[in-house]
Amino acid sequence: MGQASGVTIRHPRNDDYDKIIRVVDDWWGGRAMAAMLPRLFFTHFRPMTFVAHQNETIVGFVTGFVSAADPDRAYIHFVGVDPNARASGIGRQLYERFFDAARAAGSRQVSCVTSPSNHQSIAFHRRLGFEPVDSPATRDGIPYFPAYDGPGEDRVLFTRAL
Ligand SMILES: CC(C)(COP(=O)(O)OP(=O)(O)OC[C@H]1O[C@@H](n2cnc3c(N)ncnc32)[C@H](O)[C@@H]1OP(=O)(O)O)[C@@H](O)C(=O)NCCC(=O)NCCS
């Protein structure tokens, strides 16, 4: 795996949200994702949101929060990398910044969910050390929770120690 050069990672500023929300569906291969990424993640959850820049262009972001129910646990809501900038370590760098912020906030575990059909997300999370939570239902050998986020919205639940 190559390492992206000249990538800076920082908290969101100014119009970062407006730029990201315009491309997010394209970054997910045309899936309608924008409605699941309201601006509040870039304002109220800014301390747990990071944006990656390369040559003054946004090439990735991660957003999440510390669980209000269980401060021992941080939760990653979304991670996305520009398709033209993938496979160069930007997703890993974004996650490592998020992990550092979660540890600094006192969390010792991190969770996220993904669709069982999102094979690249599953491969990425396993590579980053996440384990799927056990479930009687499996697809392609991965346990998942049917209708976890509503009818037809199956999810793999991932967790990792920090
Ligand atoms: C998932 C995603 C964020 C990965 O970003 P990325 O910058 O390409 O990932 P990295 O280059 O940092 O890869 C990190 C590790 O994951 C592995 N990995 C990443 N994508 C992979 C894939 N499609 N298949 C196999 N392994 C993969 C890499 O080999 C790498 O391993 P290494 O560091 O041990 O060599 C990116 O593909 C993406 O934005 N996908 C669309 C949005 C999405 O589905 N987000 C996740 C659900 S919210």
Side-chain angles (χ1 to χ4, degrees):
M1 167 78 45
Q3 187 72 23
S5 62
V7 173
T8 51
I9 295 180
R10 56 159 173 73
H11 291 300
R13 285 185 206 150
N14 308 326
D15 58 353
D16 285 354
Y17 176 79
D18 301 280
K19 291 176 179 163
I20 287 169
I21 203 66
R22 284 199 291 267
V23 297
V24 73
D25 290 354
D26 288 343
W27 285 11
W28 262 255
R31 273 179 75 192
M33 303 301 286
M36 287 191 278
L37 188 67
R39 188 182 296 271
L40 67 88
F41 283 98
F42 285 61
T43 54
H44 297 291
F45 294 114
R46 185 173 181 269
M48 300 295 284
T49 298
F50 295 93
V51 179
H53 286 76
Q54 192 174 33
N55 303 323
E56 292 173 36
T57 301
I58 293 174
V59 289
F61 70 98
V62 63
T63 187
F65 45 85
V66 173
S67 169
D70 177 9
D72 197 50
R73 188 169 292 278
Y75 181 84
I76 295 176
H77 176 58
F78 261 36
V79 59
V81 171
D82 182 332
N84 298 314
R86 288 186 190 159
S88 61
I90 295 171
R92 181 183 279 281
Q93 287 184 62
L94 284 162
Y95 262 38
E96 283 171 359
R97 286 295 290 271
F98 184 93
F99 296 163
D100 288 345
R103 284 187 204 101
S107 298
R108 289 181 297 175
Q109 301 282 325
V110 57
S111 300
C112 60
V113 305
T114 200
S115 163
S117 59
N118 191 341
H119 299 292
Q120 66 184 357
S121 172
I122 290 169
F124 171 76
H125 284 98
R126 298 209 81 157
R127 198 75 190 144
L128 270 284
F130 286 80
E131 292 290 340
V133 174
D134 252 346
S135 168
T138 62
R139 194 177 304 166
D140 302 327
I142 302 282
Y144 74 96
F145 291 79
Y148 183 81
D149 273 333
E153 299 295 335
D154 305 342
R155 295 289 181 265
V156 177
L157 275 55
F158 274 122
T159 189
R160 178 195 192 276
L162 286 172

